[in-house]
Amino acid sequence: MFQRMLASALFAGGVAGLLAALLHFAFVQDLILLGEKYETGELTHFAAPAQDGHDHAPAPTAGADAGAAPDDGHADDGHSHGTGSDLTRNGLTVLFTVLVYVSYAMLLAAGFGLAESMGRRIDLKVGVLWGISGFAAFQLAPAMGLAPELPGSIAADLGDRQVWWWGTALATATALGLLCYGRSLLTAGLAVVLLAAPHVIGAPLPEGYWGQAPTEVGTLYSARTLGTGLAVWAALGGALAWFWTRGKAA
Amino acid sequence: MTTLSSAKVTSALLPVLFMTVLGLSVMFVAGHAQSATLHDAAHDIRHATGFPCH
């Protein structure tokens, strides 16, 4: 059982990770680099060309923004972005994307193993539903409190956010498992409580908002990370089910 | 029948648990551990998957 879970997770996570990296470079990476230009002060967006703010004029291009970088106290916060040349940075992104999706695949494979031991059948359709549920637990629900961070945006204390993130992801995953496989009103009720609790408690928020990156880039960034995440998670669930069912036949 | 399926679930629990811990550990190292080297290497994908990064 363990060998089958591990093999399926490695294959499916590898395939999904490569797809995720492809979509990352197609939709997301440019926005990260743009956000970093605002974060470092290379660009600022408060010096847009004069307009009355209501004429729906075309938005200024990022490159046209001008003005002195605000003294935002951000230059010395000690974090850096990626490492080395573009090739190294992007290569490491591919490597870690595969690693992250292998970790997601391992959790889904554990779920497949548990479901099958309870007599539930895993097929391609069920696998895709598992993938979408994984997306809801590990990306969508945490994003409802902690939106995917564009570099140059402001957030609360890192430790507090990590605690809330883990709590939300695990509570949502448990709740979806109970909803899909539970057989009583009690499990359904418990699932609803687990789904709601993180959002009733609330994610840690910053004391104020003074992010350097434009809201427009941040919202596009959040939408794209969630959109690509949904696509890859669904593919991951399907691929895992494909390897899983072949593992059984073998 | 019930005894049989209970035994099946019990025997599956250990590998399921082990796989869960392994998955969470890999996710922690790739997505959440704050060592400078790991952070820099995984920076872009941590942002893109919505992990709290810095």
Side-chain angles (χ1 to χ4, degrees), chain B residues 2-3 5-9 12 18 21 24-25 28-29 37-38 40 42 46 49 51 54:
Chain B
T2 309
T3 315
S5 60
S6 296
K8 207 175 168 191
V9 172
F18 193 59
V21 171
L24 292 175
S25 305
F28 177 80
V29 171
T37 311
L38 275 174
D40 288 358
R46 287 184 179 193
T49 42
F51 295 138
H54 46 68

Side-chain angles (χ1 to χ4, degrees), chain B residues 1-53:
Chain B
M1 177 67 186
T2 309
T3 315
L4 186 67
S5 60
S6 296
K8 207 175 168 191
V9 172
T10 310
S11 70
L13 272 184
L14 201 60
V16 163
L17 197 65
F18 193 59
M19 181 53 72
T20 305
V21 171
L22 188 62
L24 292 175
S25 305
V26 174
M27 192 188 296
F28 177 80
V29 171
H32 297 261
Q34 282 303 307
S35 106
T37 311
L38 275 174
H39 168 275
D40 288 358
H43 176 268
D44 293 351
I45 196 59
R46 287 184 179 193
H47 275 270
T49 42
F51 295 138
C53 189

Side-chain angles (χ1 to χ4, degrees), chain A:
Chain A
M1 160 84 95
F2 183 79
Q3 205 173 12
R4 184 178 167 210
M5 286 192 285
L6 186 64
S8 309
L10 289 177
F11 284 125
V15 170
L18 292 176
L19 174 65
L22 183 72
L23 294 180
H24 174 87
F25 289 114
F27 288 100
V28 177
Q29 183 69 10
D30 284 351
L31 296 179
I32 291 182
L33 298 176
L34 182 58
E36 286 176 357
K37 286 186 178 172
Y38 286 99
E39 186 179 31
T40 56
E42 188 180 338
L43 293 176
T44 61
H45 69 290
F46 295 113
Q51 51 183 288
D52 67 10
H54 204 71
D55 62 0
H56 295 222
T61 61
D65 288 1
D71 179 11
D72 52 29
H74 198 68
D76 61 351
D77 72 354
H79 81 264
S80 54
H81 313 112
T83 181
S85 68
D86 284 353
L87 191 66
T88 312
R89 176 176 180 165
N90 292 340
L92 285 168
T93 296
V94 174
L95 179 70
F96 275 85
T97 304
V98 168
L99 211 54
V100 165
Y101 275 89
V102 164
S103 78
Y104 292 155
M106 285 173 167
L107 296 179
L108 289 182
F112 282 11
L114 188 61
E116 211 170 73
S117 74
M118 291 163 65
R120 305 301 182 94
R121 189 165 158 262
I122 301 292
D123 58 22
L124 196 65
K125 198 163 89 178
V126 172
V128 171
L129 289 175
W130 269 88
I132 293 171
S133 301
F135 166 76
F138 286 93
Q139 280 191 250
L140 187 60
M144 286 175 66
L146 300 171
E149 294 167 43
L150 180 72
S153 38
I154 292 301
D157 176 70
L158 176 64
D160 293 346
R161 280 182 288 138
Q162 287 190 325
V163 168
W164 189 86
W165 189 96
W166 279 103
T168 303
L170 296 179
T172 308
T174 308
L176 293 176
L178 288 173
L179 272 181
C180 295
Y181 290 97
R183 289 171 183 165
S184 70
L185 269 180
L186 184 69
T187 52
L190 183 61
V192 171
V193 171
L194 284 172
L195 279 177
H199 306 285
V200 173
I201 294 166
L205 295 173
E207 289 171 7
Y209 298 96
W210 62 93
Q212 304 93 333
T215 311
E216 295 88 333
V217 183
T219 48
L220 183 61
Y221 177 78
S222 286
R224 285 190 177 181
T225 55
L226 291 174
T228 52
L230 173 59
V232 182
W233 268 101
L236 172 65
L240 188 68
W242 194 84
F243 286 113
W244 180 260
T245 46
R246 264 139 203 85
K248 189 179 185 181

